[in-house]
Amino acid sequence: MFPRRSGILLHVSSLPGGHGIGDFGESAYDFIEFLAGSGQKIWQVLPLNPTGYGDSPYQCFSAFAGNPLFIDLGALREEGLLPGFATASGPIFPAEHVAYDRVIAFKQELLRQAARTFFADRTEADRPTFDVFCQKNEEWLEDYALFMACKKVFNDTAWVHWDAGIRQRDPAALKEWRNELSPELEFHRFAQFQFFRQWEKVRDRCRRHGISIMGDIPIYVAHDSADVWAHPELFRLDEQGQPTAVAGVPPDYFSATGQLWGNPLYRWDVSASSGHRWWISRCRASLEMFDLVRLDHFRGFEAYWEVPATASTAAEGKWVEGPGAEFFKVLQAELKELPFVAENLGVITPGVERLRNSFGFPGMSLLQFAFGKDPQGPSFRPHNYSRELVAYTGGHDNDTTLGWWTSPGVGESTRTEEDIREEHQFTRAYLGFQNEEVNWIFIRAVLASVANTAMIPLQDALGLGSEARMNLPATVSGNWRWRYRADSLTKEIRERLRALTLLYDR
């Protein structure tokens, strides 16, 4: 399940081309060719669900649905669902970042136009394919479509502010709203149909090149989501549907006051009484989309940081016991193989590691964490790696390696200037370099390590600085926007990466 190999971390939104945001079009296939040409065997993506607040893939309107912004409009044009001028005459978008507001307005209008054409002129071949998709995914698709349709009616306000009948899912209200919003529901079904059809073609190309795709399951879901609206009994909510306790993490490397995520916490006892049915469905859906899955914030399954909903910072929280081994035994009984990678970063206890090891889930290590004063720093150093590990130069919540090295951002974390000087001195001594390209020093270190899996954010392979950072934790705007330029994947980079990959038997 985890043979010796390496790969690239790159979210779909960061692909070039398309119409203002990366998509499942030509640039995705070009990237797959780059992966194959550089000897990589894994493409890791962030959650592919429809983003909501702050454009974060970790705050989505559904844990099951796909993000319609990733649909390739060119493919819709080739199917005859869009006229050629519709995509050719679109606005000029920035090449190196996503302007989400503009992209959403542009693509939503064209997706609606394509849907109208599809339902007006649907061929005999399309009709059964679409119907089969809707039937197969009915369990989540109908709630998601109605949720999104209602959000439009209520001017995108959170579901807790909707009319009482639909907010509380009164059966008569559900029937009435479904009838009234039937055309809008059809649009959302169509968008999901296109998303998954195009994604499957991307996956097929990866399979043909021997490339596995690693997806991502965030442990928590957004409060304003179809999941919480449709299954309120699974979450810690009051009678008005507002969270009574929310998720976060205590003070750490990233923030002196912790991170207050705000996601509603689960009622794990209620989930267990149902045999964790919703979770089984969620994991099954992810395993149908991906070959491997990273379990975000794995430590929350052993114990989670509970913060009162009224708290102003995460520092006011406390640790509470999670569902533990019982949860994974249920998943294993239902799903058999669990090709999970445990994101075990942060405050990790022996109990978390016992849980991870008991199910054979590889953990993670980030080389950027290896050289500072964090008490867990030694565990991130390559001489302490185990084979059952996924070793990264850095992750999507980190600065790029070059940015970390050249503009360490005093004030972003708990490190002082003196801490940073000592960290750099130790890094040079440990990795044995002076002024060489630090990103390639880091890449070589993780590829040379004994860890069976080595992952490199594309920004590090391209040697980009802080301007290419994907996310700065504990901030709510300006994240998830970076895109690479189409001419960035040069022959030199491909061959340099391939040479190291072959050298270290990846």
Side-chain angles (χ1 to χ4, degrees), residues 283-310:
C283 292
R284 179 178 285 118
S286 290
L287 292 175
E288 288 175 357
M289 287 186 69
F290 308 115
D291 304 294
L292 311 167
V293 172
R294 170 187 178 272
L295 287 182
D296 181 58
H297 197 58
F298 176 79
R299 74 103 56 246
F301 293 104
E302 194 272 339
Y304 55 90
W305 190 248
E306 176 184 301
V307 185
T310 55

Side-chain angles (χ1 to χ4, degrees), residues 176-355:
E176 179 182 348
W177 283 84
R178 284 195 178 102
N179 289 335
E180 184 176 336
L181 299 177
S182 179
E184 187 71 8
L185 268 61
E186 282 285 72
F187 164 68
H188 289 290
R189 295 185 190 110
F190 165 80
Q192 292 304 304
F193 170 63
Q194 291 293 347
F195 172 94
F196 283 99
R197 183 157 70 164
Q198 291 190 7
W199 175 244
E200 189 52 38
K201 291 179 181 178
V202 171
R203 283 201 69 191
D204 184 61
R205 178 67 67 88
C206 285
R207 290 189 196 101
R208 280 187 271 152
H209 283 295
I211 295 169
S212 298
I213 299 180
M214 187 191 302
D216 196 312
I217 296 181
I219 184 173
Y220 297 117
V221 298
H223 176 238
D224 188 24
S225 67
D227 309 290
V228 179
W229 172 66
H231 304 281
E233 72 283 356
L234 295 177
F235 300 90
R236 301 270 295 278
L237 308 175
D238 63 21
E239 292 181 357
Q240 284 73 45
Q242 296 286 2
T244 58
V246 296
V249 289
D252 61 8
Y253 172 92
F254 292 116
S255 173
T257 59
Q259 297 176 44
L260 185 59
W261 296 335
N263 308 74
L265 294 173
Y266 295 102
R267 295 180 62 188
W268 283 112
D269 57 334
V270 175
S271 181
S273 67
S274 72
H276 296 296
R277 186 172 62 85
W278 180 84
W279 268 100
I280 290 169
S281 296
R282 185 186 186 191
C283 292
R284 179 178 285 118
S286 290
L287 292 175
E288 288 175 357
M289 287 186 69
F290 308 115
D291 304 294
L292 311 167
V293 172
R294 170 187 178 272
L295 287 182
D296 181 58
H297 197 58
F298 176 79
R299 74 103 56 246
F301 293 104
E302 194 272 339
Y304 55 90
W305 190 248
E306 176 184 301
V307 185
T310 55
S312 57
T313 74
E316 300 176 49
K318 64 179 181 180
W319 288 111
V320 177
E321 185 177 355
E326 175 271 337
F327 171 75
F328 290 105
K329 288 177 182 176
V330 172
L331 288 186
Q332 198 167 53
E334 283 283 337
L335 304 174
K336 309 310 178 190
E337 284 195 5
L338 299 179
F340 291 160
V341 172
E343 186 272 291
N344 60 335
L345 307 174
V347 182
I348 303 302
T349 65
V352 176
E353 291 300 86
R354 281 195 299 271
L355 178 64

Side-chain angles (χ1 to χ4, degrees), residues 388-400:
E388 295 73 32
L389 184 73
V390 183
Y392 293 77
T393 54
H396 68 265
D397 282 334
N398 299 80
D399 202 342
T400 67

Side-chain angles (χ1 to χ4, degrees), residues 319-448:
W319 288 111
V320 177
E321 185 177 355
E326 175 271 337
F327 171 75
F328 290 105
K329 288 177 182 176
V330 172
L331 288 186
Q332 198 167 53
E334 283 283 337
L335 304 174
K336 309 310 178 190
E337 284 195 5
L338 299 179
F340 291 160
V341 172
E343 186 272 291
N344 60 335
L345 307 174
V347 182
I348 303 302
T349 65
V352 176
E353 291 300 86
R354 281 195 299 271
L355 178 64
R356 183 182 64 78
N357 288 323
S358 65
F359 290 91
F361 301 151
M364 288 174 51
S365 181
L366 271 62
L367 193 56
Q368 285 187 25
F369 291 164
F371 309 111
K373 292 187 175 180
D374 188 322
Q376 298 183 83
S379 67
F380 294 114
R381 295 169 195 159
H383 71 271
N384 286 322
Y385 286 177
S386 65
R387 294 191 182 278
E388 295 73 32
L389 184 73
V390 183
Y392 293 77
T393 54
H396 68 265
D397 282 334
N398 299 80
D399 202 342
T400 67
T401 293
L402 184 61
W404 169 83
W405 186 253
T406 59
S407 54
V410 175
E412 287 181 7
S413 71
T414 56
R415 297 183 301 166
T416 66
E417 289 187 9
E418 180 60 27
D419 289 339
I420 292 166
R421 280 195 293 271
E422 292 179 2
E423 187 174 36
H424 281 194
Q425 184 178 14
F426 181 49
T427 305
R428 284 194 174 96
Y430 184 92
L431 295 176
F433 76 104
Q434 287 300 318
N435 299 313
E436 296 91 331
E437 300 161 290
V438 67
N439 52 306
W440 284 103
I441 295 293
F442 270 48
I443 289 170
R444 178 185 285 270
V446 296
L447 291 177

Side-chain angles (χ1 to χ4, degrees), residues 2-6 386-389 449-454 506:
F2 292 95
R4 186 171 176 82
R5 55 186 172 173
S6 60
S386 65
R387 294 191 182 278
E388 295 73 32
L389 184 73
S449 74
V450 299
N452 280 342
T453 308
R506 296 283 177 187

